[in-house]
Amino acid sequence: MTAQISTPKQSTRNMVMECTKLVASFFVLFIHVSFPGQFGHLVNCIATMAVPMFFMISGYFNYGASCAAIRRRTLHIAKLLLGGTLLYILWSCVSTELAGGSTIAYLRAALILDPIEITNWIILHIHPYAGHLWYLNAILLCYLCFWGYTRFFPEKEVDYRPFYFLCLILLVLFLLYGVIMPADGSNSTGLSIRNGWVFGLPMFGLGMFLRQYQDRIFSAYRLTSGKLLLIFFGGIAFGLFQWRTTGIGMIPFGMFFAIVAWMLWMISHPTIPVKSKAAKTVILSFGPISTWIYISHLMFGMLYGQLLQEPLTARFGTAEPWLQPVVVLVLSLIGAVLFECACRWIRKLRKK
């Protein structure tokens, strides 16, 4: 009989979650810069797990956080959103010049947003300058809602049950309109689902719930590592089956169970057996690097299209579409590492 998992004491960092965030950022990149043919569709199907995983991991680490900590993290997300927005406005200026256009004309058109764009940015989290930055809008909403909720309670006396109940209602709506109904083959999900209200908050709350009740969950359902991996790979297999038969919505039905199973597996296996301090430092930097990859990868994708696609097509012919996601990933990874190193250097200077 397989032994039931005994959840370890929580440390400040979960190394497996850091690695998962890095891999998830790769999958987000492959959604926007896809491999060709059926293989590309297969990767995109599996990649639907990435964004829910980001939301859930954020919720997991915010369980028990003080108002001050939540406010600090909220400001950090707001800075990332502002920085990402400015980055893509600047890149669009560079891209316009590379294409022989006028930067002044672009800025005149871009900086005056239509009222509908402003409304959609605030309510539906549709970013007007870089569509993939909707996630930063959505997670910012999660932090703001969570900060407002915890502020209502005295310190260390927060009752999360009403918040969980709200997230449960939103989770039911998300599963109904974003997962179950699209299984009829219509694939009719829209931007009314892909936002912080219906997508972000329930996943964020689920991550918190798994953190708070992990011991009870493992005990009540007699979960073992083998069972969790079986649910994980079984959910992926059924998700791929759904993709091949009826199509998918926001995420395939089976993938939702795979995500929860993997979260629980990460909770019960938080460490990676590395002895080198340098290796641990590298692994713990995967989280910030994944953030920079997420923010910058679309820029590197556009850079590839303008500067590298034509010469690589001339050199490699029909193999170029297979190279494109790999090259963009390498460029994004290099850029993210350099940017994280620069941020660490700046933080060290400030301490001095």
Side-chain angles (χ1 to χ4, degrees), residues 231-263:
I231 296 171
F232 176 68
F233 288 111
I236 291 177
F238 187 76
L240 294 175
F241 175 76
Q242 180 184 346
W243 160 63
R244 294 292 294 172
T245 52
T246 63
I248 60 175
M250 291 298 298
I251 58 174
F253 184 76
M255 294 295 186
F256 174 75
F257 297 95
I259 293 166
V260 175
W262 187 250
M263 276 293 299

Side-chain angles (χ1 to χ4, degrees), residues 57-249:
I57 291 175
S58 294
Y60 176 86
F61 283 113
N62 275 281
Y63 169 73
S66 66
C67 271
I70 298 167
R71 182 171 62 249
R72 184 174 63 252
R73 295 167 187 174
T74 303
L75 290 174
H76 176 67
I77 296 296
K79 290 176 183 177
L80 288 177
L81 177 59
L82 177 61
T85 302
L86 294 176
L87 174 67
Y88 278 92
I89 291 175
L90 177 62
W91 168 250
S92 295
C93 293
V94 174
S95 180
T96 299
E97 290 295 328
L98 290 175
S102 169
T103 299
I104 301 299
Y106 161 74
L107 289 174
R108 284 176 178 172
L111 296 182
I112 303 176
L113 294 177
D114 184 275
I116 295 177
E117 291 180 308
I118 297 173
T119 303
N120 287 339
W121 192 359
I122 295 172
I123 298 178
L124 294 179
H125 304 148
I126 301 172
H127 198 281
Y129 300 109
H132 72 296
L133 294 184
W134 74 269
Y135 170 78
L136 290 180
N137 286 98
I139 195 64
L140 179 61
L141 171 80
C142 294
Y143 275 98
L144 286 171
C145 290
F146 187 51
W147 173 79
Y149 181 83
T150 55
R151 191 179 174 90
F152 180 77
F153 295 88
E155 283 292 326
K156 299 182 180 179
E157 295 183 17
V158 181
D159 181 3
Y160 293 114
R161 288 174 295 180
F163 186 76
Y164 291 153
F165 184 69
L166 169 65
C167 292
L168 177 61
I169 294 173
L170 294 172
L171 180 62
V172 170
L173 291 175
F174 172 76
L175 291 176
L176 179 61
Y177 292 104
V179 178
I180 296 174
M181 289 179 63
D184 66 359
S186 63
N187 198 20
S188 57
T189 57
L191 296 177
S192 57
I193 299 294
R194 196 205 68 174
N195 53 62
W197 307 104
V198 188
F199 194 176
L201 273 172
M203 296 299 170
F204 186 90
L206 183 54
M208 288 178 54
F209 181 87
L210 294 179
R211 173 74 176 269
Q212 181 172 3
Y213 294 105
Q214 54 187 293
D215 291 329
R216 187 184 298 185
I217 293 169
F218 281 110
S219 175
Y221 299 102
R222 301 180 184 276
L223 293 176
T224 64
S225 296
K227 287 180 181 178
L228 290 175
L229 291 177
L230 182 63
I231 296 171
F232 176 68
F233 288 111
I236 291 177
F238 187 76
L240 294 175
F241 175 76
Q242 180 184 346
W243 160 63
R244 294 292 294 172
T245 52
T246 63
I248 60 175

Side-chain angles (χ1 to χ4, degrees), residues 22-45:
L22 183 65
V23 174
S25 72
F26 293 172
F27 277 124
V28 170
L29 185 150
F30 292 146
I31 290 175
H32 299 125
V33 188
S34 301
F35 289 99
Q38 289 294 93
F39 180 75
H41 292 302
L42 183 147
V43 172
N44 286 355
C45 181

Side-chain angles (χ1 to χ4, degrees), residues 306-329:
Q306 288 190 300
L307 299 181
L308 299 177
Q309 188 167 25
E310 187 174 340
L312 288 178
T313 300
R315 176 67 177 84
F316 296 101
T318 56
E320 182 276 329
W322 293 92
L323 289 173
Q324 182 175 356
V326 178
V327 173
V328 173
L329 174 59

